Amino acid sequence: MTRDISKSMSDSRFAIIDPAAGISGDMLLGALVDLGAGEDWIRALPGRLGCPEVVVTIERVDRCGIRSTQIKVAMRGGAREHPAVPVEPHDHRDSMEHAGRGHDHAPHRHLGELVAMIERAPLSEAVRERALRAFRLLGEAEGRVHGVPADRVALHEVGALDALVDIVGCIEGFERLGVTAVYARPLALGQGWVRAAHGTLAVPAPATSILVEGLEVGPDGPVSGEATTPTGAVLLRALSEGRPPARWRGVASGWGAGGRNPVEYPNALRVLIAEAVAEAGEVVVTVTDIDDLSPEYLEPLREALVAAGALDVQVWASQAKKGRPGFRIEVVSEPAAETAVTEAFFRHSSTAGVRRWTAERVTLTRRQIEVETREGIAVRVKVVEGPGGTRVKPAFADVARAARRAGRPAVEVAREVQQRAQDRVAGESRAPLTANKES
């Protein structure tokens, strides 16, 4: 049964691609369908892209005991792009003869044609932009290998349309799941040699080795042959924001099967859906004392510190040297933001130095929702899960703005939003989990 997690996604949730056994476009697409991106959607995608001659099939397969979803993209006559075949030791077959069989006369598609198909297709602007970037990267890599301009790179028609469905499908699949941030663990490339269209090639293939530039590569483990394809590598380049956060909580996982089924390891790609863990984490506390800054400039300083990554800014009055009145300013931030916070202190205040130390912050689980007033004005509400139950708190700035627009007292708007938020949260806790009706 395919799961449907898209309705429960929130802004704090993200995806983690785990290419421990490598990655290809169909493996990633299979994992997204396994997570509930939609079977009818992926079957209909070729028609939306202007290639109705392409058929997508979905199978549930076993990869070393792991139930996975396999996606196959093929022409209506049955022709499809097959994975590169590993060359076994002492395999003395003539690889060039094998590669040339039927190759020269196969129909081709230039990369420029695929770009035009993406530009014409009914896609969201975010999906279109990322898909076009992916094909530009793919064209540049293949162009560097073959010495031709990117838009003149020629791909076999089956492989070209396969890549089109895979790339657009994977990017749109994340959108359908409500995922806006994608991270990746270290990538396995595989090892050995593979038999490809141009002969026997060392792993990684030339285009793949270019496309993985800038990506974190990890140990191959037992993976042999071509673990990462050019399409898989370019999807990581187009989607991944790097390593996942240090702390996160798993929400769901999906497995996409590769074409081969070795007995040594599961040839499958795992995609995790996770959410940030704000309850506990390492933070940096940055503090300074100021006695020569006019109080009216404290608010611009606070704004600059927040923009630099401050999670919290506290200011309180103090007594400085020689009896002068002053202020102590304390900032809590993620470790990654400590440099930017320090620079903001120096740029936007009169301080000549700061003190920093590492601490652990422990908080309650929190998230944010939006609730509309009776006038239809959206107000952000913080939802906190405490030991005594769920608490909600409307954002003051949003309440004040809504009150001004509606011509009502702010306290009245706050009470209304508070009640609506409590009713919504209570309704969510009672709602049962449902499976995707497509399965």
Side-chain angles (χ1 to χ4, degrees), residues 331-367:
V331 172
V332 176
S333 69
E334 299 281 358
E338 64 175 313
T339 300
V341 165
T342 300
E343 290 176 353
F345 262 124
F346 290 144
R347 182 178 177 83
H348 296 276
S349 77
S350 56
T351 188
V354 300
R355 302 180 296 282
R356 298 191 303 210
W357 62 86
T358 300
E360 183 176 88
R361 183 178 72 147
V362 180
T363 65
L364 295 174
T365 303
R366 65 186 70 182
R367 59 190 174 98

PDB file of all heavy atoms in Angstrom, residues 331-367:
ATOM      1  N   VAL A 331      22.927  37.021  22.841  1.00  0.00           N
ATOM      2  CA  VAL A 331      22.351  36.394  21.657  1.00  0.00           C
ATOM      3  C   VAL A 331      22.565  34.879  21.736  1.00  0.00           C
ATOM      4  O   VAL A 331      23.660  34.419  22.076  1.00  0.00           O
ATOM      5  CB  VAL A 331      22.986  36.941  20.365  1.00  0.00           C
ATOM      6  CG1 VAL A 331      22.525  36.136  19.148  1.00  0.00           C
ATOM      7  CG2 VAL A 331      22.650  38.408  20.180  1.00  0.00           C
ATOM      8  N   VAL A 332      21.528  34.116  21.425  1.00  0.00           N
ATOM      9  CA  VAL A 332      21.626  32.668  21.285  1.00  0.00           C
ATOM     10  C   VAL A 332      21.462  32.338  19.802  1.00  0.00           C
ATOM     11  O   VAL A 332      20.515  32.817  19.161  1.00  0.00           O
ATOM     12  CB  VAL A 332      20.541  31.952  22.110  1.00  0.00           C
ATOM     13  CG1 VAL A 332      20.599  30.438  21.870  1.00  0.00           C
ATOM     14  CG2 VAL A 332      20.705  32.253  23.590  1.00  0.00           C
ATOM     15  N   SER A 333      22.383  31.548  19.246  1.00  0.00           N
ATOM     16  CA  SER A 333      22.329  31.216  17.809  1.00  0.00           C
ATOM     17  C   SER A 333      22.806  29.799  17.584  1.00  0.00           C
ATOM     18  O   SER A 333      23.442  29.190  18.452  1.00  0.00           O
ATOM     19  CB  SER A 333      23.193  32.190  16.998  1.00  0.00           C
ATOM     20  OG  SER A 333      24.569  31.979  17.277  1.00  0.00           O
ATOM     21  N   GLU A 334      22.511  29.277  16.404  1.00  0.00           N
ATOM     22  CA  GLU A 334      23.085  28.007  15.979  1.00  0.00           C
ATOM     23  C   GLU A 334      24.588  28.191  15.788  1.00  0.00           C
ATOM     24  O   GLU A 334      25.053  29.286  15.443  1.00  0.00           O
ATOM     25  CB  GLU A 334      22.452  27.540  14.664  1.00  0.00           C
ATOM     26  CG  GLU A 334      20.957  27.305  14.730  1.00  0.00           C
ATOM     27  CD  GLU A 334      20.618  25.971  15.369  1.00  0.00           C
ATOM     28  OE1 GLU A 334      21.562  25.223  15.715  1.00  0.00           O
ATOM     29  OE2 GLU A 334      19.418  25.694  15.529  1.00  0.00           O
ATOM     30  N   PRO A 335      25.395  27.124  15.979  1.00  0.00           N
ATOM     31  CA  PRO A 335      26.847  27.257  15.789  1.00  0.00           C
ATOM     32  C   PRO A 335      27.219  27.804  14.409  1.00  0.00           C
ATOM     33  O   PRO A 335      28.182  28.561  14.290  1.00  0.00           O
ATOM     34  CB  PRO A 335      27.361  25.829  15.991  1.00  0.00           C
ATOM     35  CG  PRO A 335      26.368  25.210  16.922  1.00  0.00           C
ATOM     36  CD  PRO A 335      25.037  25.792  16.530  1.00  0.00           C
ATOM     37  N   ALA A 336      26.463  27.427  13.390  1.00  0.00           N
ATOM     38  CA  ALA A 336      26.792  27.879  12.031  1.00  0.00           C
ATOM     39  C   ALA A 336      26.638  29.381  11.859  1.00  0.00           C
ATOM     40  O   ALA A 336      27.206  29.963  10.928  1.00  0.00           O
ATOM     41  CB  ALA A 336      25.913  27.147  11.016  1.00  0.00           C
ATOM     42  N   ALA A 337      25.877  30.030  12.743  1.00  0.00           N
ATOM     43  CA  ALA A 337      25.613  31.464  12.602  1.00  0.00           C
ATOM     44  C   ALA A 337      26.497  32.319  13.495  1.00  0.00           C
ATOM     45  O   ALA A 337      26.370  33.550  13.494  1.00  0.00           O
ATOM     46  CB  ALA A 337      24.142  31.747  12.899  1.00  0.00           C
ATOM     47  N   GLU A 338      27.411  31.718  14.272  1.00  0.00           N
ATOM     48  CA  GLU A 338      28.161  32.505  15.258  1.00  0.00           C
ATOM     49  C   GLU A 338      29.023  33.585  14.604  1.00  0.00           C
ATOM     50  O   GLU A 338      29.141  34.704  15.127  1.00  0.00           O
ATOM     51  CB  GLU A 338      29.002  31.604  16.149  1.00  0.00           C
ATOM     52  CG  GLU A 338      30.083  30.835  15.452  1.00  0.00           C
ATOM     53  CD  GLU A 338      30.949  30.054  16.447  1.00  0.00           C
ATOM     54  OE1 GLU A 338      31.366  30.640  17.455  1.00  0.00           O
ATOM     55  OE2 GLU A 338      31.176  28.850  16.213  1.00  0.00           O
ATOM     56  N   THR A 339      29.618  33.291  13.460  1.00  0.00           N
ATOM     57  CA  THR A 339      30.454  34.289  12.792  1.00  0.00           C
ATOM     58  C   THR A 339      29.610  35.456  12.301  1.00  0.00           C
ATOM     59  O   THR A 339      29.984  36.630  12.482  1.00  0.00           O
ATOM     60  CB  THR A 339      31.218  33.648  11.626  1.00  0.00           C
ATOM     61  OG1 THR A 339      32.050  32.594  12.120  1.00  0.00           O
ATOM     62  CG2 THR A 339      32.081  34.680  10.915  1.00  0.00           C
ATOM     63  N   ALA A 340      28.466  35.150  11.686  1.00  0.00           N
ATOM     64  CA  ALA A 340      27.598  36.214  11.184  1.00  0.00           C
ATOM     65  C   ALA A 340      27.046  37.070  12.320  1.00  0.00           C
ATOM     66  O   ALA A 340      26.923  38.297  12.192  1.00  0.00           O
ATOM     67  CB  ALA A 340      26.451  35.611  10.371  1.00  0.00           C
ATOM     68  N   VAL A 341      26.727  36.448  13.450  1.00  0.00           N
ATOM     69  CA  VAL A 341      26.222  37.198  14.609  1.00  0.00           C
ATOM     70  C   VAL A 341      27.305  38.132  15.143  1.00  0.00           C
ATOM     71  O   VAL A 341      27.046  39.302  15.452  1.00  0.00           O
ATOM     72  CB  VAL A 341      25.736  36.223  15.703  1.00  0.00           C
ATOM     73  CG1 VAL A 341      25.552  36.953  17.030  1.00  0.00           C
ATOM     74  CG2 VAL A 341      24.433  35.568  15.270  1.00  0.00           C
ATOM     75  N   THR A 342      28.529  37.626  15.246  1.00  0.00           N
ATOM     76  CA  THR A 342      29.629  38.466  15.724  1.00  0.00           C
ATOM     77  C   THR A 342      29.862  39.652  14.792  1.00  0.00           C
ATOM     78  O   THR A 342      30.058  40.786  15.238  1.00  0.00           O
ATOM     79  CB  THR A 342      30.913  37.627  15.851  1.00  0.00           C
ATOM     80  OG1 THR A 342      30.678  36.563  16.771  1.00  0.00           O
ATOM     81  CG2 THR A 342      32.074  38.470  16.337  1.00  0.00           C
ATOM     82  N   GLU A 343      29.829  39.399  13.497  1.00  0.00           N
ATOM     83  CA  GLU A 343      30.008  40.482  12.529  1.00  0.00           C
ATOM     84  C   GLU A 343      28.888  41.513  12.644  1.00  0.00           C
ATOM     85  O   GLU A 343      29.124  42.725  12.505  1.00  0.00           O
ATOM     86  CB  GLU A 343      30.066  39.907  11.118  1.00  0.00           C
ATOM     87  CG  GLU A 343      31.348  39.117  10.837  1.00  0.00           C
ATOM     88  CD  GLU A 343      31.349  38.481   9.461  1.00  0.00           C
ATOM     89  OE1 GLU A 343      30.291  38.545   8.773  1.00  0.00           O
ATOM     90  OE2 GLU A 343      32.386  37.911   9.067  1.00  0.00           O
ATOM     91  N   ALA A 344      27.656  41.040  12.912  1.00  0.00           N
ATOM     92  CA  ALA A 344      26.538  41.977  13.086  1.00  0.00           C
ATOM     93  C   ALA A 344      26.745  42.857  14.312  1.00  0.00           C
ATOM     94  O   ALA A 344      26.428  44.055  14.294  1.00  0.00           O
ATOM     95  CB  ALA A 344      25.229  41.205  13.191  1.00  0.00           C
ATOM     96  N   PHE A 345      27.267  42.278  15.390  1.00  0.00           N
ATOM     97  CA  PHE A 345      27.586  43.076  16.581  1.00  0.00           C
ATOM     98  C   PHE A 345      28.569  44.196  16.235  1.00  0.00           C
ATOM     99  O   PHE A 345      28.373  45.359  16.598  1.00  0.00           O
ATOM    100  CB  PHE A 345      28.190  42.180  17.661  1.00  0.00           C
ATOM    101  CG  PHE A 345      27.210  41.721  18.704  1.00  0.00           C
ATOM    102  CD1 PHE A 345      27.034  40.375  18.960  1.00  0.00           C
ATOM    103  CD2 PHE A 345      26.481  42.645  19.449  1.00  0.00           C
ATOM    104  CE1 PHE A 345      26.145  39.946  19.935  1.00  0.00           C
ATOM    105  CE2 PHE A 345      25.587  42.222  20.420  1.00  0.00           C
ATOM    106  CZ  PHE A 345      25.417  40.871  20.664  1.00  0.00           C
ATOM    107  N   PHE A 346      29.649  43.834  15.540  1.00  0.00           N
ATOM    108  CA  PHE A 346      30.678  44.821  15.235  1.00  0.00           C
ATOM    109  C   PHE A 346      30.186  45.879  14.235  1.00  0.00           C
ATOM    110  O   PHE A 346      30.586  47.035  14.304  1.00  0.00           O
ATOM    111  CB  PHE A 346      31.927  44.125  14.676  1.00  0.00           C
ATOM    112  CG  PHE A 346      32.673  43.324  15.705  1.00  0.00           C
ATOM    113  CD1 PHE A 346      33.277  42.130  15.367  1.00  0.00           C
ATOM    114  CD2 PHE A 346      32.762  43.756  17.017  1.00  0.00           C
ATOM    115  CE1 PHE A 346      33.970  41.382  16.310  1.00  0.00           C
ATOM    116  CE2 PHE A 346      33.449  43.027  17.977  1.00  0.00           C
ATOM    117  CZ  PHE A 346      34.057  41.833  17.624  1.00  0.00           C
ATOM    118  N   ARG A 347      29.318  45.467  13.321  1.00  0.00           N
ATOM    119  CA  ARG A 347      28.863  46.377  12.270  1.00  0.00           C
ATOM    120  C   ARG A 347      27.772  47.322  12.752  1.00  0.00           C
ATOM    121  O   ARG A 347      27.707  48.474  12.326  1.00  0.00           O
ATOM    122  CB  ARG A 347      28.373  45.561  11.070  1.00  0.00           C
ATOM    123  CG  ARG A 347      27.921  46.387   9.887  1.00  0.00           C
ATOM    124  CD  ARG A 347      27.504  45.477   8.734  1.00  0.00           C
ATOM    125  NE  ARG A 347      26.996  46.229   7.607  1.00  0.00           N
ATOM    126  CZ  ARG A 347      27.752  46.792   6.669  1.00  0.00           C
ATOM    127  NH1 ARG A 347      29.059  46.692   6.732  1.00  0.00           N
ATOM    128  NH2 ARG A 347      27.210  47.463   5.655  1.00  0.00           N
ATOM    129  N   HIS A 348      26.905  46.847  13.626  1.00  0.00           N
ATOM    130  CA  HIS A 348      25.707  47.618  13.969  1.00  0.00           C
ATOM    131  C   HIS A 348      25.704  48.146  15.403  1.00  0.00           C
ATOM    132  O   HIS A 348      24.683  48.677  15.865  1.00  0.00           O
ATOM    133  CB  HIS A 348      24.459  46.766  13.749  1.00  0.00           C
ATOM    134  CG  HIS A 348      24.252  46.383  12.321  1.00  0.00           C
ATOM    135  ND1 HIS A 348      23.631  47.207  11.407  1.00  0.00           N
ATOM    136  CD2 HIS A 348      24.621  45.263  11.630  1.00  0.00           C
ATOM    137  CE1 HIS A 348      23.593  46.610  10.230  1.00  0.00           C
ATOM    138  NE2 HIS A 348      24.192  45.431  10.327  1.00  0.00           N
ATOM    139  N   SER A 349      26.825  48.002  16.121  1.00  0.00           N
ATOM    140  CA  SER A 349      26.897  48.575  17.466  1.00  0.00           C
ATOM    141  C   SER A 349      28.272  49.188  17.667  1.00  0.00           C
ATOM    142  O   SER A 349      29.154  49.093  16.809  1.00  0.00           O
ATOM    143  CB  SER A 349      26.632  47.503  18.528  1.00  0.00           C
ATOM    144  OG  SER A 349      27.765  46.670  18.718  1.00  0.00           O
ATOM    145  N   SER A 350      28.470  49.766  18.844  1.00  0.00           N
ATOM    146  CA  SER A 350      29.751  50.405  19.144  1.00  0.00           C
ATOM    147  C   SER A 350      30.689  49.492  19.908  1.00  0.00           C
ATOM    148  O   SER A 350      31.753  49.930  20.355  1.00  0.00           O
ATOM    149  CB  SER A 350      29.499  51.676  19.962  1.00  0.00           C
ATOM    150  OG  SER A 350      28.764  51.356  21.142  1.00  0.00           O
ATOM    151  N   THR A 351      30.341  48.222  20.070  1.00  0.00           N
ATOM    152  CA  THR A 351      31.182  47.315  20.850  1.00  0.00           C
ATOM    153  C   THR A 351      32.523  47.067  20.179  1.00  0.00           C
ATOM    154  O   THR A 351      32.628  47.083  18.943  1.00  0.00           O
ATOM    155  CB  THR A 351      30.474  45.965  21.083  1.00  0.00           C
ATOM    156  OG1 THR A 351      31.236  45.193  22.003  1.00  0.00           O
ATOM    157  CG2 THR A 351      30.327  45.185  19.782  1.00  0.00           C
ATOM    158  N   ALA A 352      33.543  46.828  21.007  1.00  0.00           N
ATOM    159  CA  ALA A 352      34.877  46.504  20.493  1.00  0.00           C
ATOM    160  C   ALA A 352      35.225  45.037  20.737  1.00  0.00           C
ATOM    161  O   ALA A 352      36.317  44.594  20.392  1.00  0.00           O
ATOM    162  CB  ALA A 352      35.930  47.397  21.154  1.00  0.00           C
ATOM    163  N   GLY A 353      34.294  44.265  21.338  1.00  0.00           N
ATOM    164  CA  GLY A 353      34.569  42.858  21.584  1.00  0.00           C
ATOM    165  C   GLY A 353      33.352  42.138  22.120  1.00  0.00           C
ATOM    166  O   GLY A 353      32.439  42.747  22.683  1.00  0.00           O
ATOM    167  N   VAL A 354      33.304  40.824  21.905  1.00  0.00           N
ATOM    168  CA  VAL A 354      32.201  40.003  22.389  1.00  0.00           C
ATOM    169  C   VAL A 354      32.777  38.791  23.116  1.00  0.00           C
ATOM    170  O   VAL A 354      33.944  38.445  22.958  1.00  0.00           O
ATOM    171  CB  VAL A 354      31.281  39.534  21.239  1.00  0.00           C
ATOM    172  CG1 VAL A 354      30.661  40.703  20.499  1.00  0.00           C
ATOM    173  CG2 VAL A 354      32.042  38.623  20.268  1.00  0.00           C
ATOM    174  N   ARG A 355      31.956  38.137  23.918  1.00  0.00           N
ATOM    175  CA  ARG A 355      32.323  36.894  24.582  1.00  0.00           C
ATOM    176  C   ARG A 355      31.405  35.798  24.050  1.00  0.00           C
ATOM    177  O   ARG A 355      30.200  36.012  23.881  1.00  0.00           O
ATOM    178  CB  ARG A 355      32.177  37.032  26.103  1.00  0.00           C
ATOM    179  CG  ARG A 355      33.019  38.148  26.681  1.00  0.00           C
ATOM    180  CD  ARG A 355      32.855  38.271  28.185  1.00  0.00           C
ATOM    181  NE  ARG A 355      31.518  38.632  28.596  1.00  0.00           N
ATOM    182  CZ  ARG A 355      31.017  39.865  28.533  1.00  0.00           C
ATOM    183  NH1 ARG A 355      31.751  40.858  28.027  1.00  0.00           N
ATOM    184  NH2 ARG A 355      29.796  40.117  28.953  1.00  0.00           N
ATOM    185  N   ARG A 356      31.971  34.608  23.804  1.00  0.00           N
ATOM    186  CA  ARG A 356      31.168  33.516  23.244  1.00  0.00           C
ATOM    187  C   ARG A 356      31.441  32.238  24.010  1.00  0.00           C
ATOM    188  O   ARG A 356      32.569  31.981  24.430  1.00  0.00           O
ATOM    189  CB  ARG A 356      31.492  33.286  21.759  1.00  0.00           C
ATOM    190  CG  ARG A 356      31.203  34.462  20.855  1.00  0.00           C
ATOM    191  CD  ARG A 356      31.295  34.088  19.388  1.00  0.00           C
ATOM    192  NE  ARG A 356      32.559  33.523  18.978  1.00  0.00           N
ATOM    193  CZ  ARG A 356      33.078  33.648  17.763  1.00  0.00           C
ATOM    194  NH1 ARG A 356      32.427  34.339  16.848  1.00  0.00           N
ATOM    195  NH2 ARG A 356      34.232  33.092  17.456  1.00  0.00           N
ATOM    196  N   TRP A 357      30.402  31.426  24.158  1.00  0.00           N
ATOM    197  CA  TRP A 357      30.577  30.090  24.704  1.00  0.00           C
ATOM    198  C   TRP A 357      29.478  29.172  24.159  1.00  0.00           C
ATOM    199  O   TRP A 357      28.447  29.643  23.672  1.00  0.00           O
ATOM    200  CB  TRP A 357      30.584  30.099  26.231  1.00  0.00           C
ATOM    201  CG  TRP A 357      29.320  30.570  26.886  1.00  0.00           C
ATOM    202  CD1 TRP A 357      28.212  29.845  27.199  1.00  0.00           C
ATOM    203  CD2 TRP A 357      29.047  31.908  27.317  1.00  0.00           C
ATOM    204  NE1 TRP A 357      27.264  30.630  27.788  1.00  0.00           N
ATOM    205  CE2 TRP A 357      27.755  31.905  27.879  1.00  0.00           C
ATOM    206  CE3 TRP A 357      29.771  33.114  27.288  1.00  0.00           C
ATOM    207  CZ2 TRP A 357      27.163  33.045  28.403  1.00  0.00           C
ATOM    208  CZ3 TRP A 357      29.178  34.250  27.820  1.00  0.00           C
ATOM    209  CH2 TRP A 357      27.899  34.200  28.373  1.00  0.00           C
ATOM    210  N   THR A 358      29.721  27.888  24.241  1.00  0.00           N
ATOM    211  CA  THR A 358      28.779  26.886  23.732  1.00  0.00           C
ATOM    212  C   THR A 358      27.902  26.397  24.874  1.00  0.00           C
ATOM    213  O   THR A 358      28.369  26.170  25.989  1.00  0.00           O
ATOM    214  CB  THR A 358      29.541  25.699  23.109  1.00  0.00           C
ATOM    215  OG1 THR A 358      30.338  26.181  22.032  1.00  0.00           O
ATOM    216  CG2 THR A 358      28.566  24.659  22.574  1.00  0.00           C
ATOM    217  N   ALA A 359      26.619  26.246  24.595  1.00  0.00           N
ATOM    218  CA  ALA A 359      25.667  25.768  25.589  1.00  0.00           C
ATOM    219  C   ALA A 359      24.687  24.821  24.914  1.00  0.00           C
ATOM    220  O   ALA A 359      24.643  24.706  23.681  1.00  0.00           O
ATOM    221  CB  ALA A 359      24.913  26.943  26.223  1.00  0.00           C
ATOM    222  N   GLU A 360      23.912  24.110  25.711  1.00  0.00           N
ATOM    223  CA  GLU A 360      22.856  23.257  25.178  1.00  0.00           C
ATOM    224  C   GLU A 360      21.515  23.907  25.445  1.00  0.00           C
ATOM    225  O   GLU A 360      21.228  24.322  26.567  1.00  0.00           O
ATOM    226  CB  GLU A 360      22.878  21.868  25.797  1.00  0.00           C
ATOM    227  CG  GLU A 360      21.824  20.941  25.183  1.00  0.00           C
ATOM    228  CD  GLU A 360      21.887  19.527  25.722  1.00  0.00           C
ATOM    229  OE1 GLU A 360      21.241  19.270  26.755  1.00  0.00           O
ATOM    230  OE2 GLU A 360      22.564  18.687  25.107  1.00  0.00           O
ATOM    231  N   ARG A 361      20.712  23.999  24.406  1.00  0.00           N
ATOM    232  CA  ARG A 361      19.380  24.565  24.544  1.00  0.00           C
ATOM    233  C   ARG A 361      18.366  23.428  24.535  1.00  0.00           C
ATOM    234  O   ARG A 361      18.394  22.569  23.652  1.00  0.00           O
ATOM    235  CB  ARG A 361      19.089  25.533  23.388  1.00  0.00           C
ATOM    236  CG  ARG A 361      17.741  26.224  23.516  1.00  0.00           C
ATOM    237  CD  ARG A 361      17.526  27.202  22.385  1.00  0.00           C
ATOM    238  NE  ARG A 361      17.275  26.522  21.122  1.00  0.00           N
ATOM    239  CZ  ARG A 361      16.478  26.999  20.168  1.00  0.00           C
ATOM    240  NH1 ARG A 361      15.877  28.157  20.330  1.00  0.00           N
ATOM    241  NH2 ARG A 361      16.321  26.339  19.048  1.00  0.00           N
ATOM    242  N   VAL A 362      17.480  23.416  25.497  1.00  0.00           N
ATOM    243  CA  VAL A 362      16.416  22.416  25.579  1.00  0.00           C
ATOM    244  C   VAL A 362      15.089  23.146  25.502  1.00  0.00           C
ATOM    245  O   VAL A 362      14.815  24.052  26.298  1.00  0.00           O
ATOM    246  CB  VAL A 362      16.497  21.602  26.888  1.00  0.00           C
ATOM    247  CG1 VAL A 362      15.376  20.578  26.940  1.00  0.00           C
ATOM    248  CG2 VAL A 362      17.857  20.919  27.003  1.00  0.00           C
ATOM    249  N   THR A 363      14.261  22.786  24.530  1.00  0.00           N
ATOM    250  CA  THR A 363      12.978  23.446  24.332  1.00  0.00           C
ATOM    251  C   THR A 363      11.892  22.401  24.138  1.00  0.00           C
ATOM    252  O   THR A 363      12.175  21.216  23.929  1.00  0.00           O
ATOM    253  CB  THR A 363      13.005  24.368  23.094  1.00  0.00           C
ATOM    254  OG1 THR A 363      13.181  23.564  21.925  1.00  0.00           O
ATOM    255  CG2 THR A 363      14.134  25.378  23.185  1.00  0.00           C
ATOM    256  N   LEU A 364      10.683  22.842  24.156  1.00  0.00           N
ATOM    257  CA  LEU A 364       9.557  21.967  23.849  1.00  0.00           C
ATOM    258  C   LEU A 364       9.392  21.865  22.329  1.00  0.00           C
ATOM    259  O   LEU A 364       9.815  22.748  21.587  1.00  0.00           O
ATOM    260  CB  LEU A 364       8.272  22.519  24.469  1.00  0.00           C
ATOM    261  CG  LEU A 364       8.234  22.558  26.000  1.00  0.00           C
ATOM    262  CD1 LEU A 364       6.968  23.271  26.476  1.00  0.00           C
ATOM    263  CD2 LEU A 364       8.291  21.157  26.583  1.00  0.00           C
ATOM    264  N   THR A 365       8.779  20.770  21.881  1.00  0.00           N
ATOM    265  CA  THR A 365       8.479  20.604  20.457  1.00  0.00           C
ATOM    266  C   THR A 365       7.548  21.724  20.013  1.00  0.00           C
ATOM    267  O   THR A 365       6.556  22.023  20.680  1.00  0.00           O
ATOM    268  CB  THR A 365       7.799  19.252  20.198  1.00  0.00           C
ATOM    269  OG1 THR A 365       8.652  18.222  20.674  1.00  0.00           O
ATOM    270  CG2 THR A 365       7.524  19.048  18.716  1.00  0.00           C
ATOM    271  N   ARG A 366       7.893  22.350  18.885  1.00  0.00           N
ATOM    272  CA  ARG A 366       7.094  23.479  18.427  1.00  0.00           C
ATOM    273  C   ARG A 366       6.923  23.444  16.918  1.00  0.00           C
ATOM    274  O   ARG A 366       7.731  22.851  16.201  1.00  0.00           O
ATOM    275  CB  ARG A 366       7.747  24.797  18.838  1.00  0.00           C
ATOM    276  CG  ARG A 366       9.095  25.034  18.180  1.00  0.00           C
ATOM    277  CD  ARG A 366       9.783  26.258  18.718  1.00  0.00           C
ATOM    278  NE  ARG A 366      10.235  26.048  20.082  1.00  0.00           N
ATOM    279  CZ  ARG A 366      10.839  26.997  20.806  1.00  0.00           C
ATOM    280  NH1 ARG A 366      11.025  28.201  20.302  1.00  0.00           N
ATOM    281  NH2 ARG A 366      11.250  26.729  22.023  1.00  0.00           N
ATOM    282  N   ARG A 367       5.893  24.060  16.464  1.00  0.00           N
ATOM    283  CA  ARG A 367       5.658  24.228  15.029  1.00  0.00           C
ATOM    284  C   ARG A 367       4.817  25.480  14.834  1.00  0.00           C
ATOM    285  O   ARG A 367       4.391  26.114  15.805  1.00  0.00           O
ATOM    286  CB  ARG A 367       4.948  23.005  14.428  1.00  0.00           C
ATOM    287  CG  ARG A 367       3.603  22.679  15.037  1.00  0.00           C
ATOM    288  CD  ARG A 367       3.092  21.328  14.564  1.00  0.00           C
ATOM    289  NE  ARG A 367       1.873  20.927  15.246  1.00  0.00           N
ATOM    290  CZ  ARG A 367       0.656  21.079  14.755  1.00  0.00           C
ATOM    291  NH1 ARG A 367       0.478  21.648  13.556  1.00  0.00           N
ATOM    292  NH2 ARG A 367      -0.402  20.668  15.432  1.00  0.00           N
TER     293      ARG A 367
END
